[in-house]
Amino acid sequence: MTEDKAFSTVLPDWLKLPHAERGNRIGLFGGSFNPPHSGHQLVAETAMKRLDLDQVWWLVSPGNPLKDHSELEPQEQRIRNVERLSDHPGMRVTGHEAVLGTSYTAETLACILARRPGVRFVWIMGADNLASFHRWQNWRSIASAVPIAVVDRPGASLSVMSAPFARVFARHRIDETDAVTLPGLKPPAWVFLRTRLDAASSTNLRKLRRK
């Protein structure tokens, strides 16, 4: 038994990195999901369908370094909430970032790519996150590591093209009619996917919970 497999056997399932075969097309959907909601579900399902993905991995982070953690629910509880929401055979939910000990997406992504060679990964994000993407640590390296799918969210459609990411990587954007080709493209490559809009937000849900 390899050291990696031996280590994996002592972990609870929710902390393990999901299985994948070489050549699989897998979307990585990261976030705090505090709490997860139907808008997250729509983003994941849109990416899975439009990119023809084999799986979507929801990477539930221990905590976003750019956000206040005072109202952050325990990671395992958020994972259970995501599992109930993402009830689909192609959806996988993991808190493996806590095992890796990484705090930033660029670090997490590098570890996953090293552990799952030969897999065609795509980073998935809601368009509402694109405006602040340039504040993420090593954001350019993320765009250079994997293709990126940006899924429309309420209030974000008109501002997407003015985001620093969109300007810097403008020539690497593909038309959404070619979205199915994204997982096979050499990064940097990205696409903006339009879809129906769902106004649910974690911020508003936490406000309602406080009331």
Side-chain angles (χ1 to χ4, degrees):
M1 181 181 293
T2 65
E3 183 179 351
D4 185 60
K5 288 184 177 179
F7 179 62
S8 177
T9 59
V10 302
L11 292 173
D13 287 343
W14 63 273
L15 283 176
K16 295 178 182 178
L17 196 62
H19 175 74
E21 299 289 342
R22 295 182 69 89
N24 279 173
R25 300 156 60 98
I26 295 178
L28 301 175
F29 187 25
S32 301
F33 304 113
N34 184 47
H37 53 70
S38 55
H40 292 135
Q41 182 181 28
L42 179 60
V43 167
E45 291 179 349
T46 298
M48 172 167 272
K49 180 178 179 180
R50 299 282 294 280
L51 305 180
D52 191 24
L53 300 176
D54 296 300
Q55 299 177 38
V56 169
W57 294 359
W58 297 60
L59 307 179
V60 183
S61 70
N64 187 329
L66 297 178
K67 295 183 178 180
D68 177 18
H69 292 182
S70 60
E71 295 184 286
L72 187 65
E73 290 190 331
Q75 187 186 27
E76 185 175 4
Q77 179 59 52
R78 287 179 283 127
I79 284 173
R80 300 306 177 208
N81 293 340
V82 172
E83 287 175 338
R84 286 191 288 271
L85 181 73
S86 61
D87 186 17
H88 184 285
M91 302 286 181
R92 304 286 185 270
V93 187
T94 179
H96 194 67
E97 191 174 28
V99 177
L100 298 175
T102 55
S103 300
Y104 298 97
T105 298
E107 299 171 337
T108 300
L109 190 54
C111 291
I112 291 176
L113 291 176
R115 293 185 177 213
R116 294 291 186 269
V119 174
R120 297 178 180 179
F121 285 112
V122 174
W123 186 259
I124 300 168
M125 69 165 65
D128 48 343
N129 285 320
L130 196 65
S132 62
F133 186 62
H134 64 287
R135 295 177 56 207
W136 294 22
Q137 188 179 75
N138 297 328
W139 63 281
R140 291 172 187 260
S141 71
I142 297 172
S144 297
V146 291
I148 296 175
V150 181
V151 182
D152 203 1
R153 287 281 290 146
S157 302
L158 297 178
S159 61
V160 164
M161 293 307 105
S162 63
F165 166 85
R167 295 200 304 269
V168 170
F169 293 100
R171 69 186 182 92
H172 299 287
R173 180 189 176 194
I174 67 171
D175 191 90
E176 66 177 311
T177 58
D178 297 320
V180 72
T181 69
L182 187 70
L185 296 180
K186 181 180 178 180
W190 68 286
V191 67
F192 177 62
L193 300 176
R194 294 172 178 83
T195 184
R196 66 179 177 84
L197 300 178
D198 186 315
S201 91
S202 295
T203 300
N204 290 339
L205 288 173
R206 289 195 300 273
K207 287 180 180 178
L208 289 173
R209 188 165 56 196
R210 286 197 298 270
K211 293 178 180 180

